């Protein structure tokens, strides 16, 4: 006997993501999904961002890592509420994990939740979490070819942040080539170049975040 | 790795569907994967073979994967076209990148066969 299903494999995840989105909308909270390769500087960027923004916005962070609480400890030192999710080897966060993390926050007091997804350019792109916005990071030390090798994550993002700008002179990274490659997959994608270490370009990123919350 | 995690989710869906349709053994599963999706058919096939020890599957159960091409419409000139390259999806007529994907992002279980 043949049974027609026509069921999306990720349907349950997408349903939970929608519920997360509704829950956040009810409380007027914006959630951002931050994605990149491991070692691109997500946590360093977050530390600097939170330090500069925590007096102006009420923020919280969800940290996703295969194991360890190192990132959550770094964020907690900045003095921002943080929940660490461990995927126990899994390569991405899903909507159910994020749902559990959200229960640890007082949503009535928050304006912006930043999810630091597991460092990976493949799987996180497939799993909606209930985020309003996706931000993808590419560091100058990773090389230009990431955009060509992992087009899905760069196609389905709302902002590209180029990090480690201070290291640009020591690499072969070509900022112009980023725009040439993006023109093929996501021509209207805004790009912010910055260095969390020196502070160069941080203002544009902070303004972008503030505009997102005030929208 | 990623396909293994996805396959675990698929097996759960299959078990529910089998129970709802009074199937005790699944003989065949047909899955559709778009070429713009980060799912690799060979790895999915391998993950499926690793799940066959589950009693819901007949010993000879097989997985058929249909890869779906990337189809899009141009927002500028409204022409419909097939993109060969997942990276460069632009209109072959007017070369606009303002395109709407019609297919290529699917990842669904089409049907199951069983007894």
């Amino acid at each position: 006997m043949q049974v027609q299903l026509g069921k999306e494999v990720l349907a349950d995840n997408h349903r939970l993501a929608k519920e997360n989105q509704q829950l956040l909308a009810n409380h007027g909270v914006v959630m951002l999904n931050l994605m990149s390769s491991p070692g691109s500087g997500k946590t360093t960027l977050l530390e600097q961002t939170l330090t500069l923004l925590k007096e102006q916005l009420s923020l919280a962070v969800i940290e996703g890592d295969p194991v360890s609480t190192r990132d959550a400890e770094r964020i907690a030192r900045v003095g921002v509420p943080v929940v660490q999710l461990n995927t126990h080897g899994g390569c991405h966060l899903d909507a159910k994990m994020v749902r559990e993390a959200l229960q640890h926050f007082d949503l009535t007091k928050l304006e912006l939740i930043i999810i630091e997804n597991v460092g990976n350019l493949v799987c996180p792109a497939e799993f909606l979490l209930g985020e309003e916005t996706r931000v993808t990071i590419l560091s100058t030390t990773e090389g230009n070819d990431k955009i060509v090798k992992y087009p899905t994550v760069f196609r389905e993002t709302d902002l590209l942040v180029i990090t480690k700008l201070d290291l640009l002179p020591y690499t072969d990274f070509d900022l112009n080539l980023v725009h040439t490659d993006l023109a093929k997959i996501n021509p209207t994608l805004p790009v912010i170049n910055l260095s969390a270490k020196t502070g160069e370009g941080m203002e544009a990123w902070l303004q972008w975040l503030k505009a997102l919350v005030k929208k | 790795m990623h396909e293994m995690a996805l396959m675990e989710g698929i097996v759960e869906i299959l078990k529910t569907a089998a129970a709802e349709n009074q199937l005790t053994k699944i003989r065949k599963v047909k899955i559709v994967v778009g070429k713009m999706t980060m799912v690799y058919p060979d790895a999915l096939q391998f993950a499926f073979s690793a799940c066959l020890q589950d009693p819901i599957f007949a010993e000879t159960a097989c997985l058929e994967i249909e890869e779906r091409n990337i189809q899009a419409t141009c927002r500028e000139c409204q022409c419909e076209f097939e993109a060969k390259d997942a990276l460069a999806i632009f209109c072959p007529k007017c070369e606009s990148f303002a395109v709407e994907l019609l297919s290529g992002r699917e990842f669904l279980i089409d049907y199951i066969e069983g007894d």
Side-chain angles (χ1 to χ4, degrees):
Chain A
M1 183 170 85
Q2 191 179 90
V3 180
Q4 297 295 323
L5 293 180
K7 186 170 166 81
E8 282 279 345
V9 172
L10 298 175
D12 285 347
N13 183 73
H14 294 349
R15 181 179 51 77
L16 282 170
K18 277 220 172 92
E19 288 176 20
N20 288 348
Q21 206 163 27
Q22 191 55 53
L23 175 72
L24 293 165
N26 291 346
H27 291 88
V29 182
V30 174
M31 188 161 74
L32 183 159
N33 183 2
L34 190 59
M35 298 180 287
S36 80
S37 316
S40 63
K42 284 189 297 299
T43 315
T44 303
L45 176 62
L46 272 185
E47 283 173 320
Q48 295 305 318
T49 305
L50 300 170
T51 304
L52 294 164
L53 271 188
K54 67 177 180 180
E55 307 298 334
Q56 299 164 57
L57 291 179
S58 61
L59 305 145
V61 172
I62 297 173
E63 280 291 341
D65 283 297
V67 286
S68 98
T69 53
R70 290 208 172 182
D71 280 0
E73 287 161 21
R74 283 172 65 180
I75 298 303
R77 260 178 247 138
V78 183
V80 165
V82 57
V83 172
Q84 175 81 53
L85 291 175
N86 282 139
T87 58
H88 304 287
C91 44
H92 57 267
L93 295 177
D94 64 34
K96 188 161 169 274
M97 298 179 204
V98 169
R99 157 71 52 89
E100 282 157 21
L102 290 176
Q103 290 169 356
H104 294 273
F105 298 130
D106 182 355
L107 296 178
T108 58
K109 292 193 175 133
L110 288 179
E111 288 172 290
L112 176 65
I113 297 174
I114 302 178
I115 301 171
E116 181 180 339
N117 215 316
V118 177
N120 178 347
L121 289 173
V122 182
C123 326
E126 300 293 335
F127 287 81
L128 302 175
L129 304 178
E131 70 270 34
E132 182 170 316
T133 304
R134 290 180 158 197
V135 175
T136 303
I137 291 182
L138 176 64
S139 59
T140 58
T141 51
E142 285 171 77
N144 283 89
D145 52 6
K146 290 291 181 293
I147 296 175
V148 183
K149 287 181 179 171
Y150 305 90
T152 303
V153 71
F154 292 99
R155 170 177 263 276
E156 297 178 6
T157 194
D158 302 295
L159 174 73
L160 175 64
V161 176
I162 311 260
T163 56
K164 306 191 188 180
L165 199 59
D166 52 310
L167 297 179
L168 186 63
Y170 310 104
T171 68
D172 296 328
F173 195 83
D174 181 349
L175 289 172
N176 290 324
L177 190 54
V178 168
H179 295 280
T180 311
D181 288 334
L182 284 181
K184 295 177 198 154
I185 52 165
N186 197 346
T188 57
L189 181 68
V191 181
I192 295 175
N193 305 330
L194 58 80
S195 163
K197 202 157 189 180
T198 65
E200 184 185 358
M202 282 295 285
E203 194 48 38
W205 161 240
L206 298 179
Q207 289 303 332
W208 189 89
L209 286 174
K210 282 190 244 180
L212 179 72
V213 173
K214 299 287 178 271
K215 205 167 63 182
Chain B
M1 172 70 217
H2 160 69
E3 280 77 5
M4 196 67 227
L6 293 171
M7 188 50 77
E8 284 169 18
I10 291 171
V11 171
E12 286 312 308
I13 295 172
L14 294 179
K15 282 182 180 171
T16 309
E20 282 171 2
N21 293 282
Q22 287 87 45
L23 300 179
T24 51
K25 286 284 175 197
I26 296 174
R27 283 185 282 106
K28 182 181 173 183
V29 182
K30 159 86 185 295
I31 288 179
V32 176
V33 177
K35 287 186 177 170
M36 270 286 290
T37 307
M38 288 289 184
V39 178
Y40 184 52
D42 281 3
L44 202 62
Q45 211 41 276
F46 176 74
F48 181 75
S49 65
C51 290
L52 280 180
Q53 51 187 295
D54 192 293
I56 191 65
F57 294 111
E59 254 176 66
T60 54
C62 66
L63 169 66
E64 182 190 328
I65 300 173
E66 177 195 333
E67 284 192 84
R68 203 155 283 175
N69 289 333
I70 305 165
Q71 294 278 350
T73 350
C74 173
R75 287 206 193 103
E76 307 283 339
C77 74
Q78 274 71 47
C79 96
E80 228 182 277
F81 64 94
E82 186 182 314
K84 298 285 177 211
D85 180 357
L87 182 62
I89 303 177
F90 60 88
C91 173
K93 276 193 186 155
C94 70
E95 298 193 339
S96 166
F97 286 103
V99 298
E100 194 168 335
L101 279 181
L102 299 175
S103 74
R105 287 293 273 134
E106 301 85 349
F107 184 28
L108 52 95
I109 306 171
D110 190 5
Y111 64 80
I112 54 175
E113 284 176 11
D115 306 296

